[in-house]
C-alpha cells in the first residue's frame, strides 16, 4: 500500500523537520487539515470553485495525430485550460479555503518563476485576503511579467536579497515571516514538498486530476485505468495529482519525468532521482542534490518549474520502491518536443510539461496501450524562450 502514515512518512521519506519556533504553526495544520477538508461545507465550496472559477473538469483529450505518430493511444489531461494556465490553482484554492476556516487573515507564499505566486495572489484576490509573496531579487528581474501580474492582483512582492537571491532565499524569508506571525498567517506552499502535512495536503487537493481521469477514461475506453500515466516532476504536485487514484493499482505504470538540464553529467541538471541522495530539505526527508557534506547543489533546468534540487517525499518513495519509473529529459529534447506538440496538435505546452511529452521518445510502450500525459500547463509564459531557440529546431 502506498499511503502516508500519521507522522507524514511514505516509507522512509517525509516527516516534519522544522525549527522549534515553527512547531505551533505546523502542529495547528497537522491537527486540523483532515477534519476541515472532510467537512461537507468545505467539500461543497471547494468543488463549486473548481467548477465555476477554475473551469473544471478539465477535458481528457484523445490526441489523434500524436497517437498516430507514436503508434499508440495518447490522451492529454488538459490542466493547461485551468484558470491561470496550470494545475497550481487546484492547490491554492484548497489552501485558501483551509486558511479561512483556521481564521487566518494574511497569506504568505514564496515563488521562483512566479507561477505559484500568481496562483496564490489570484485566490487571495478572490477571497479579499492580504497576500505577501517572497521572491528572490534575481528572480524578480528575470520574471517581470509574473511580478506585474501579482501586483495587479493586489499582492505585495517582497524581494529576498540574501544568498543567490533566488527561490531558496525567498523560502527562508517566508519561513522567517511565518515564525514572526504564527497566529494570523497561513503559508501556502506550492508543491508536494515541505514538512508534513504539506505533501499529503497538496496531493489531496491535486488528486482531483486523477479522480476526473477515472470517469473520463471510463467514458472513452470503458475502463477507469490507463496503462501508463506520464507527468513531469519539479516538486511533484501535478504528478501526485495524476498518480493519486492509481497509486495502489499496480497494473498502471507511473512515469515521473525530471529535468536533466544540459545533461545528467554536465553539472547543470535537476535530475534529482539520479543525482540525489537521502537528506533533509525544506522540512522533509527525501532525495535531494547535495555535496558530500550536505550542502545543497544549485540545480539547473531551462524550465523554472523543474529547477528544484529535491523531489517530494511521495515521489522519492515511489521511485525508491520501483513503483514509479523516473526518466530525465534534457533542455533540448524538451524544446524539440514543445515545437512538435505545437505543430501536431495545436497545443503550445509549458516548458515543464514539454519534458513529459519528450518521455514518449525514450520509453517503451505497446500499440494497444492507453497512455495519459498530464498536460500540466500552457506555454504562454515560455514564449520568449521558445522564440529564442526556434531557429535551432525548425526543420
Ligand atoms: C510549477 C509547474 C510544474 C512543476 O511543479 P510540480 O509541483 O512538480 O507539478 C510543472 N508544470 C507546470 C506548468 C508548472 O507551472
Amino acid at each position: 500500500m502506498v499511503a502516508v502514515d500519521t507522522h507524514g512518512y511514505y516509507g522512509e521519506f517525509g516527516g516534519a523537520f522544522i525549527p522549534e519556533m515553527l512547531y505551533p504553526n505546523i502542529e495547528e495544520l497537522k491537527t486540523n487539515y483532515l477534519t476541515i477538508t472532510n467537512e461537507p461545507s468545505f467539500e461543497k465550496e471547494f468543488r463549486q470553485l473548481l467548477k465555476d472559477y477554475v473551469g473544471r473538469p478539465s477535458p481528457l483529450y484523445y490526441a489523434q495525430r500524436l497517437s498516430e505518430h507514436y503508434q499508440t493511444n495518447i490522451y492529454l489531461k488538459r490542466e493547461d485550460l485551468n484558470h491561470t494556465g496550470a494545475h497550481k490553482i487546484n492547490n491554492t484554492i484548497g489552501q485558501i479555503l483551509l486558511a479561512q476556516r483556521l481564521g487566518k487573515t494574511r497569506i504568505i507564499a514564496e515563488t521562483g518563476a512566479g507561477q505559484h505566486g500568481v496562483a496564490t495572489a489570484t485566490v487571495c484576490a478572490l477571497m479579499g485576503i492580504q497576500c505577501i509573496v517572497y521572491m528572490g531579487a534575481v528572480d524578480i528581474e528575470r520574471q517581470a511579467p509574473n511580478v506585474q501580474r501579482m501586483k495587479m492582483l493586489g499582492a505585495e512582492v517582497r524581494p529576498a536579497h540574501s544568498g543567490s537571491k533566488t527561490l531558496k532565499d525567498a523560502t527562508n524569508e517566508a519561513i522567517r515571516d511565518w515564525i514572526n506571525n504564527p497566529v494570523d498567517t497561513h503559508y501556502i506552499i506550492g508543491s508536494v514538498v515541505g514538512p508534513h502535512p504539506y505533501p499529503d495536503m497538496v496531493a489531496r487537493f491535486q488528486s482531483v486530476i486523477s479522480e476526473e481521469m477515472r470517469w473520463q477514461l471510463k467514458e472513452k475506453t470503458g475502463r477507469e485505468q490507463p496503462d501508463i500515466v506520464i507527468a513531469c516532476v519539479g516538486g511533484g504536485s501535478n504528478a501526485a495529482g495524476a498518480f493519486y487514484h492509481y497509486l495502489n493499482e499496480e497494473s498502471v505504470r507511473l512515469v515521473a519525468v525530471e529535468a536533466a538540464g544540459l545533461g545528467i553529467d554536465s553539472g547543470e541538471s535537476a535530475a534529482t532521482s539520479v543525482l540525489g541522495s537521502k537528506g533533509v530539505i525544506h522540512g522533509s526527508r527525501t532525495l535531494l542534490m547535495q555535496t558530500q557534506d550536505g550542502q545543497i547543489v544549485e540545480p539547473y533546468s531551462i524550465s523554472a518549474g523543474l529547477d528544484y534540487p529535491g523531489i517530494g517525499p511521495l515521489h522519492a518513495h515511489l521511485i525508491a520502491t520501483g513503483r514509479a519509473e523516473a526518466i530525465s529529459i534534457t533542455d533540448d529534447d524538451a524544446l524539440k518536443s514543445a515545437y512538435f506538440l505545437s505543430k501536431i496538435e495545436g497545443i503550445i505546452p509549458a516548458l515543464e510539461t514539454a519534458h513529459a511529452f519528450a518521455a514518449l521518445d525514450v520509453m517503451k510502450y505497446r500499440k494497444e496501450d492507453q497512455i495519459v500525459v498530464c498536460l500540466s500547463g500552457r506555454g504562454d509564459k515560455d514564449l520568449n524562450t521558445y522564440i529564442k531557440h526556434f531557429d535551432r529546431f525548425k526543420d
Side-chain angles (χ1 to χ4, degrees), residues 57-113:
S58 67
L60 183 73
Y61 163 68
Y62 180 70
Q64 176 99 31
R65 297 187 67 211
L66 195 69
S67 298
E68 278 164 17
H69 175 84
Y70 284 107
Q71 290 286 297
T72 186
N73 306 289
I74 304 172
Y75 296 82
L76 311 185
K77 184 57 175 155
R78 300 290 309 272
E79 296 300 300
D80 60 320
L81 296 178
N82 293 341
H83 179 45
T84 69
H87 64 290
K88 287 196 171 75
I89 191 91
N90 303 326
N91 167 49
T92 56
I93 294 264
Q95 287 202 45
I96 199 81
L97 293 178
L98 178 72
Q100 283 181 319
R101 280 156 177 80
L102 287 171
K104 308 294 176 181
T105 54
R106 184 174 174 273
I107 295 295
I108 56 170
E110 93 288 321
T111 196

Side-chain angles (χ1 to χ4, degrees), residues 192-364:
V192 287
V193 299
H196 178 62
Y198 279 100
D200 182 48
M201 181 168 72
V202 177
R204 284 167 186 266
F205 291 143
Q206 293 291 359
S207 71
V208 64
I209 298 174
S210 50
E211 183 188 305
E212 290 172 1
M213 277 159 54
R214 291 190 80 96
W215 62 259
Q216 290 172 320
L217 276 170
K218 174 95 177 168
E219 265 180 21
K220 291 183 155 60
T221 69
R223 216 158 48 100
E224 291 185 353
Q225 292 87 6
D227 297 287
I228 308 176
V229 183
I230 307 174
C232 64
V233 174
S237 68
N238 86 89
F243 295 171
Y244 197 86
H245 290 283
Y246 300 112
L247 287 172
N248 293 305
E249 293 175 17
E250 297 278 332
S251 67
V252 182
R253 273 173 69 190
L254 308 175
V255 179
V257 187
E258 298 180 314
L262 299 184
I264 299 267
D265 301 319
S266 67
E268 300 286 328
S269 181
T272 309
S273 75
V274 187
L275 300 170
S277 54
K278 293 170 197 172
V280 171
I281 181 171
H282 296 149
S284 68
R285 181 177 156 78
T286 187
L287 292 173
L288 67 139
M289 292 166 36
Q290 55 188 331
T291 61
Q292 294 222 301
D293 29 276
Q295 294 295 316
I296 290 168
V297 172
E298 278 293 323
Y300 164 80
S301 163
I302 194 170
S303 86
L306 304 187
D307 193 355
Y308 181 69
I311 44 172
L314 166 64
H315 297 293
H317 175 68
L318 293 176
I319 292 167
T321 56
R323 176 66 188 94
E325 302 156 47
I327 289 181
S328 36
I329 295 295
T330 62
D331 288 0
D332 276 4
D333 287 341
L335 284 168
K336 209 187 306 169
S337 205
Y339 299 120
F340 182 65
L341 186 74
S342 304
K343 281 212 271 188
I344 199 166
E345 289 290 347
I347 297 171
I348 302 176
L351 257 171
E352 291 82 5
T353 318
H355 289 72
F357 282 97
L360 290 164
D361 290 317
V362 294
M363 54 185 279
K364 288 204 170 64

Side-chain angles (χ1 to χ4, degrees), residues 107-263:
I107 295 295
I108 56 170
E110 93 288 321
T111 196
Q115 294 302 109
H116 173 58
V118 169
T120 302
T122 299
V123 297
C124 288
L126 174 69
M127 297 302 175
I129 294 183
Q130 186 192 359
C131 180
I132 294 153
V133 180
Y134 289 93
M135 194 168 181
V138 167
D139 289 336
I140 288 181
E141 290 290 315
R142 289 193 292 202
Q143 310 289 342
N146 274 341
V147 175
Q148 291 308 326
R149 278 186 192 104
M150 287 183 264
K151 287 185 178 167
M152 191 160 170
L153 292 161
E156 181 192 337
V157 181
R158 286 195 190 161
H161 291 291
S162 58
S164 54
K165 302 181 175 52
T166 59
L167 181 60
K168 77 170 166 30
D169 313 292
T171 305
N172 291 338
E173 294 292 329
I175 289 173
R176 198 166 305 149
D177 181 313
W178 209 23
I179 289 172
N180 290 325
N181 301 283
V183 179
D184 66 344
T185 299
H186 175 67
Y187 180 11
I188 298 191
I189 291 182
S191 190
V192 287
V193 299
H196 178 62
Y198 279 100
D200 182 48
M201 181 168 72
V202 177
R204 284 167 186 266
F205 291 143
Q206 293 291 359
S207 71
V208 64
I209 298 174
S210 50
E211 183 188 305
E212 290 172 1
M213 277 159 54
R214 291 190 80 96
W215 62 259
Q216 290 172 320
L217 276 170
K218 174 95 177 168
E219 265 180 21
K220 291 183 155 60
T221 69
R223 216 158 48 100
E224 291 185 353
Q225 292 87 6
D227 297 287
I228 308 176
V229 183
I230 307 174
C232 64
V233 174
S237 68
N238 86 89
F243 295 171
Y244 197 86
H245 290 283
Y246 300 112
L247 287 172
N248 293 305
E249 293 175 17
E250 297 278 332
S251 67
V252 182
R253 273 173 69 190
L254 308 175
V255 179
V257 187
E258 298 180 314
L262 299 184

